[in-house]
Amino acid sequence: MLGKLTRVFNRLGQLRRMCATVPYYGFVTGHGYLTDAQVDDIRRLVDNPATGAQVVADYERAFVRAIAGSQQPGQGMALAGGRMALWVILKALGIGPGDEVIVPGFTCAVVASAILRTGATPVYTDVDPDTFGTSPDAVTRAMTPRTRAVIAQHSFGIPCKADQLRDITTARDIALIEDCALTLGSTLNGTPVGHFGDAAFFSTDHSKPLNTLVGGFLYTRNAELFAKAQCLVEHADTLPADQQQRLFNQFLLERRLARPASYGIYQLAMLVRSVMRKIRKRGMTFLDDDYTVERSGAYPYPARMPAMLARLGLHELERWPAEARRRADILTRYVRAAQGTPVEHMLPAAYTDPARHIVGHRFAYRHPKAEDHHTRMDARVHTAWTWFPVPVLGATQGLASLGYHTGACPVSEQVGQGIVNWPCVIEADTEKPLLDFFATVARQG
Ligand SMILES: *Cc1c(COP(=O)(O)O)cnc(C)c1O
């Protein structure tokens, strides 16, 4: 009881700070750049989804081009969540009961649940402190005769050691699947993420590099695998109409409020909405069902990408080339601002590695006293949304419910305790105050 009261009290305190007149930075940025006419186009697809088949096809083509960059493009398929794209990949590879899938202990509950849904077992491995992604050494140690696939996760925009992972999985003739949920456009030795494995999946959840509120994408250059994936989703439905309506309302709210000048009001609105939802017993907006192994079946799994979200995705993709350049630049500025401060020695090695071009998603490092550092950051940054303080993010029924047992990944647990995140997905006119604030916090250590 006391604990609950303290949490409520702390939350209110943070809300008060957010509502002050200084800008406050979260990790979700709304679509403030869209015109009212563009919003009306999206609204028409909510009301009339049957007109949207071509929109989804156009979105798939554009997304494939964005992933491929200078490479020979593969094939892609839009789904309602990254987790569903992973599930389809695993099924297309014939993975099921008795099989093991290696996943880094810096993952999201919905990844574990996608693996569990196939009947396979997730095997958690330590992350690589150089990249915060999948560690080739840890993967080698975790291999057993039952290992059928390895998930190479690129965290925070940083390409993991995907070339080494490719060598390991090729030598054993097992599949390599790239988790690109947090990384789009970054390259390792000139090769963009998504081109190291047999297949890759991306997420376009509102906190990810491209924002369609919810969404996922399957990408592969293996035509046979893609044909199998198409069979698996042939009869899949899209999200229910009432959920699409709620997503559209969420989009309107974020377009108006999810930005530094009104972040406190956004948080307040989200709080009110979650209370209202409980009172009115309305269904969910996001795909919250997959954070546990028990499900209510509120939406199909896998579900196809709704056309109205694909329309939003097309707008995101139009801006992407310029955005990718800007986010790479923001990351460079964070790294430069850290130089000569105590933070310089806390950065992962990947940030100064010339083999990597990084389109920043979040600027991340490890702090030995992260709690104090977070307290200083709280004045301007919503640190409650820091990723990977625990090895499996968002496990609402505890990590053990998804097969993670404390101590399984000691490196991940230790790195997670000190992990610090700063946003790279911010509007152009809000960059400077944030970087100035970072410089101040970094100097204080
Ligand atoms: C968000 C996320 C996913 C899942 O994406 P959804 O679109 O939410 O299903 C997978 N892996 C990582 C690392 C993520 O952060």
Side-chain angles (χ1 to χ4, degrees), residues 1-13:
M1 184 66 197
L2 198 65
K4 202 162 184 174
L5 268 177
T6 313
R7 272 201 300 281
V8 169
F9 197 72
N10 285 344
R11 197 151 171 197
L12 287 176

Side-chain angles (χ1 to χ4, degrees), residues 29 99 138-139 164 167 171 211 257 271 336 339 368 375 381 384 389 392:
T29 296
D99 297 332
V139 165
Q164 293 179 37
D167 293 343
N211 172 358
L257 296 176
L271 203 68
R336 216 176 282 147
Q339 278 165 12
T375 305
V381 178
V392 186

Side-chain angles (χ1 to χ4, degrees), residues 80-84 106-108 110-111 153-155 179-182 201-205 207-208 214-216 287 291 387-388 393:
R83 67 201 75 171
M84 296 170 185
F106 242 36
T107 190
C108 187
V110 302
V111 169
Q153 181 179 317
H154 309 291
S155 302
D179 181 341
C180 299
L182 305 178
F201 63 97
F202 295 77
S203 170
T204 56
D205 172 87
S207 63
K208 305 295 167 84
V214 303
L287 308 175
Y291 289 90
W387 276 334
F388 310 122
L393 205 60

Side-chain angles (χ1 to χ4, degrees), residues 149-290:
V150 172
I151 296 185
Q153 181 179 317
H154 309 291
S155 302
F156 304 117
I158 306 170
C160 70
K161 292 172 183 167
D163 46 355
Q164 293 179 37
L165 290 163
R166 173 79 272 176
D167 293 343
I168 293 168
T169 52
T170 305
R172 310 226 183 183
D173 198 23
I174 59 178
L176 184 68
I177 302 166
E178 291 177 77
D179 181 341
C180 299
L182 305 178
T183 305
L184 175 62
S186 299
T187 65
L188 173 61
N189 293 314
T191 303
V193 298
H195 296 85
F196 293 91
D198 298 280
F201 63 97
F202 295 77
S203 170
T204 56
D205 172 87
H206 65 162
S207 63
K208 305 295 167 84
L210 298 177
N211 172 358
T212 63
L213 289 121
V214 303
F217 204 74
L218 180 160
Y219 179 81
T220 181
R221 289 188 295 178
N222 180 331
E224 198 185 322
L225 196 153
F226 191 74
K228 284 184 185 156
Q230 278 184 311
C231 285
L232 282 159
V233 299
E234 203 179 349
H235 301 293
D237 273 325
T238 186
L239 297 175
D242 56 336
Q243 187 172 19
Q244 291 195 37
Q245 184 64 55
R246 287 190 291 273
L247 283 161
F248 182 71
N249 293 342
Q250 176 74 22
F251 152 73
L252 293 179
L253 180 102
E254 293 188 359
R255 173 171 176 251
R256 213 162 275 281
L257 296 176
R259 56 171 62 149
S262 52
Y263 194 74
I265 304 169
Y266 168 58
Q267 284 299 308
L268 210 57
M270 290 295 281
L271 203 68
V272 170
R273 278 181 65 136
S274 81
V275 172
M276 293 293 282
R277 204 193 110 193
K278 275 177 197 149
I279 293 172
R280 293 200 192 156
K281 294 198 167 51
R282 268 194 312 218
M284 51 187 86
T285 301
F286 291 97
L287 308 175
D288 292 340
D289 225 4
D290 300 308

